[in-house]
Amino acid sequence: MIDENDEDEFEHIESSLDDLSHAEFLMIYQEAGENLLFAKRQQWQSIAYLSLAYVAIYFLAKANAYDAKFLNYLIACSLVLTVFAIATEIFLQFWQINEKRIIREVSKHLSTSTQRVRALKSRGESNAHRYTMLFMLMAYILMAQIALLRVLWNMAN
């Protein structure tokens, strides 16, 4: 994180990369940023699709409430979907971590002004936000699964 008292001491130093290497680094930086945003979008879309799947399972169960075998099948399907959703969220999180590493590594080779701007948000703060969001996504998945299971079990009995 940047200390505001360092304003007087800051010196802008250009990147030491040649023009071609600089262009390649900027391309890698841009690709990593796009991949990062794509992975974040995928996380939220997977939550949306999982929610729709849970709603569909509920309506299928409601339409066939007297078929215990079918209800058990729907319970098993919901459990499998939950495991897949949690694994997907974790994989997407690791993908984001790798893209952040690429961005951080490329930034080391850019100007000191770029490095200074990137340092406005600390790595610790970014990690705290990232893992808090991951925890909330996992909590949502588990709470939705528990709610669906309770409803399905009540229908089965």
Side-chain angles (χ1 to χ4, degrees):
M1 193 89 173
I2 295 175
D3 184 7
E4 292 179 15
N5 296 330
D6 290 342
E7 273 302 316
D8 299 332
E9 300 171 19
F10 178 74
E11 179 185 356
H12 174 80
I13 300 171
E14 294 291 326
S15 168
S16 61
L17 297 170
D18 62 87
D19 287 344
L20 185 57
S21 297
H22 189 76
E24 289 174 335
F25 270 64
L26 290 178
M27 182 193 67
I28 292 169
Y29 187 96
Q30 182 178 354
E31 282 179 355
E34 289 170 1
N35 288 340
L36 184 63
L37 291 175
F38 177 76
K40 287 180 181 193
R41 263 193 311 274
Q42 290 300 106
Q43 275 188 310
W44 291 107
Q45 285 179 348
S46 68
I47 291 294
Y49 292 138
L50 178 68
S51 299
L52 289 174
Y54 285 164
V55 169
I57 288 171
Y58 168 77
F59 283 119
L60 284 170
K62 195 162 177 79
N64 297 290
Y66 301 106
D67 186 350
K69 190 174 181 179
F70 186 65
L71 288 176
N72 287 334
Y73 172 75
L74 290 176
I75 288 170
C77 286
S78 73
L79 290 169
V80 168
L81 282 174
T82 298
V83 170
F84 286 172
I86 289 172
T88 299
E89 295 300 326
I90 291 170
F91 292 148
L92 288 168
Q93 191 67 39
F94 280 113
W95 184 9
Q96 290 175 45
I97 290 168
N98 288 332
E99 295 302 327
K100 293 288 272 180
R101 283 184 187 145
I102 292 169
I103 289 170
R104 198 169 43 253
E105 195 58 38
V106 167
S107 295
K108 291 178 185 177
H109 300 282
L110 301 177
S111 73
T112 55
S113 295
T114 300
Q115 294 171 24
R116 183 176 175 83
V117 169
R118 289 208 28 83
L120 288 173
K121 185 174 182 182
S122 74
R123 214 167 135 192
E125 184 182 357
S126 293
N127 287 337
H129 292 163
R130 185 177 309 112
Y131 291 114
T132 300
M133 288 301 298
L134 181 62
F135 172 76
M136 291 189 315
L137 289 173
M138 296 297 162
Y140 171 81
I141 291 169
L142 293 175
M143 288 187 301
Q145 174 62 50
I146 290 167
L148 181 61
L149 285 176
R150 286 192 55 123
V151 169
L152 293 177
W153 284 330
N154 286 342
M155 284 182 193
N157 295 327

